[in-house]
Amino acid sequence: MPLGTLDRTAPTLFKHGPSPLSRLTLYSALALFLMVADARFHVAEPLRKAVATVLYPLQWLMLQPVELAGKGAQYFQSLQAAQQAADEAGRKMAQMSVRAGEADQLLRENAELRRLLALRERLDTPAQAAQVLYDTADPYTRRIMVDRGQLAGVEPGSPVVDAAGVLGQVTRVYPMLSEVTLLIDRDQAIPVLNLRTGARSVAYGDPLAGPGGGMELRFTPANADVQEGDLLTTSGVDGLYPAGLPVARVLRVERRADSAFARIYCAPLAQVHGARHVMVLKPLAADMPARPEPEPAQQKRGGRK
């Protein structure tokens, strides 16, 4: 059958209602009427509320993942900001702690320097201030290094004191530095005077006495008048130390029946551990008159005749 002879119209059985164009026109007019009526008289407001009420649970349920994701991101951002704030606060606290330690150290050094200046005013011997640099590396000695040497006029044998008393003696002098042997060194000895009795003796260093080392009065008779708490000062008979400088205090006196000498342990008054600022004194031997020369042997024999 030729294509041109086909009937393309729908059968009468399938034709229902108005045509599509009529329906489009009707619906367009109805939509326009509803828009005008809703704009003027709000006729669709109850329907809009009812639809919003019905759809609210669905909208709330659909928005929950978005809100949870936003809250999670905000939580992690807040946690990161809190961690950064805590780290910054820790760094500031560490800096403040360091500054507080430095301030305390400066206050202690200031007080120590003031005591040294007061000590210098009381001394008639020429003196100069020095700073302790470090302890020597030899574990069998008790020595320190100070920042004054030959260029500053330091001489071997110069007494070294701090604000509390005698600290030691210069044993080696370098151009810019000096080595000071402390009183608690085993090779160090100093003539002392007991202020209570006026008795003279010699105090020797004893690194093993006490927790940090001390001193001992050797060759003292067992019946000597020495008591715990006696103050020992320099006697000034050695030609090095000025007389009257505090040296040590008697800690313990042991008298044994099988020994003619007493064991007398002393604690140095100076800060033998941790001293920072000291005074280097000029030895008294430099200002003492020279010893007279001995007479010749012939003159002695002639005088006897």
Side-chain angles (χ1 to χ4, degrees):
M1 178 181 294
L3 296 176
T5 60
L6 292 176
D7 188 5
R8 298 180 180 274
T9 61
T12 56
L13 182 62
F14 297 97
K15 293 181 179 181
H16 299 284
S19 64
L21 181 60
S22 301
R23 285 182 292 184
L24 176 61
T25 303
L26 177 62
Y27 293 151
S28 299
L30 181 60
L32 182 62
F33 171 75
L34 290 175
M35 287 190 294
V36 174
D38 184 57
R40 290 295 184 90
F41 306 104
H42 305 283
V43 294
E45 187 66 22
L47 179 62
R48 186 180 295 107
K49 292 181 179 180
V51 173
T53 304
V54 173
L55 294 180
Y56 174 75
L58 181 61
Q59 294 177 353
W60 180 86
L61 185 62
M62 296 179 64
L63 289 176
Q64 289 306 304
V66 179
E67 292 182 0
L68 290 177
K71 291 181 180 180
Q74 184 178 3
Y75 170 77
F76 286 109
Q77 290 178 358
S78 302
L79 184 62
Q80 184 178 4
Q83 186 66 34
Q84 293 178 355
D87 295 341
E88 184 67 22
R91 286 193 292 269
K92 289 183 178 180
M93 289 183 62
Q95 293 177 357
M96 293 178 64
S97 177
V98 172
R99 292 179 180 176
E102 292 177 351
D104 293 340
Q105 181 67 24
L106 290 176
L107 289 176
R108 287 194 295 268
E109 291 183 358
N110 190 14
E112 186 177 356
L113 289 174
R114 288 180 181 273
R115 290 195 297 268
L116 284 176
L117 290 176
L119 177 64
R120 184 175 183 178
E121 293 178 357
R122 296 195 303 267
L123 292 175
D124 297 332
T125 306
Q128 57 179 324
Q131 183 176 356
V132 178
L133 299 178
Y134 55 87
D135 296 342
T136 57
D138 189 356
Y140 301 102
T141 61
R142 299 296 185 271
R143 300 175 182 178
I144 58 176
M145 301 297 296
V146 298
D147 62 346
R148 291 291 185 271
Q150 291 179 346
L151 299 180
V154 178
E155 303 176 8
S158 299
V160 179
V161 300
D162 66 359
V166 179
L167 184 66
Q169 183 181 14
V170 175
T171 52
R172 289 184 182 179
V173 181
Y174 302 96
M176 303 293 294
L177 305 173
S178 296
E179 181 186 74
V180 178
T181 301
L182 302 179
L183 291 180
I184 60 175
D185 188 85
R186 65 178 69 253
D187 296 329
Q188 190 70 6
I190 178 173
V192 294
L193 174 70
N194 192 325
L195 284 184
R196 186 178 61 85
T197 62
R200 293 191 180 95
S201 57
V202 179
Y204 293 85
D206 188 3
L208 302 180
M215 305 178 69
E216 180 183 358
L217 290 180
R218 299 177 184 174
F219 311 112
T220 301
N223 59 354
D225 185 10
V226 181
Q227 300 178 4
E228 297 180 1
D230 285 351
L231 179 62
L232 305 178
T233 63
T234 53
S235 61
V237 298
D238 57 348
L240 294 177
Y241 295 94
L245 295 178
V247 177
R249 191 174 295 276
V250 177
L251 286 182
R252 189 171 73 255
V253 180
E254 296 180 358
R255 293 181 172 89
R256 300 179 182 178
D258 57 347
S259 177
F261 301 102
R263 297 292 300 271
I264 304 174
Y265 299 96
C266 310
L269 298 178
Q271 190 177 0
V272 294
H273 299 286
R276 293 296 302 251
H277 300 278
V278 297
M279 297 286 289
V280 181
L281 310 181
K282 186 177 181 181
L284 294 181
D287 299 331
M288 294 181 64
R291 293 183 179 181
E293 297 182 358
E295 298 180 358
Q298 296 180 357
Q299 292 182 3
K300 290 183 179 180
R301 289 194 298 269
R304 290 177 183 175
K305 291 179 181 179

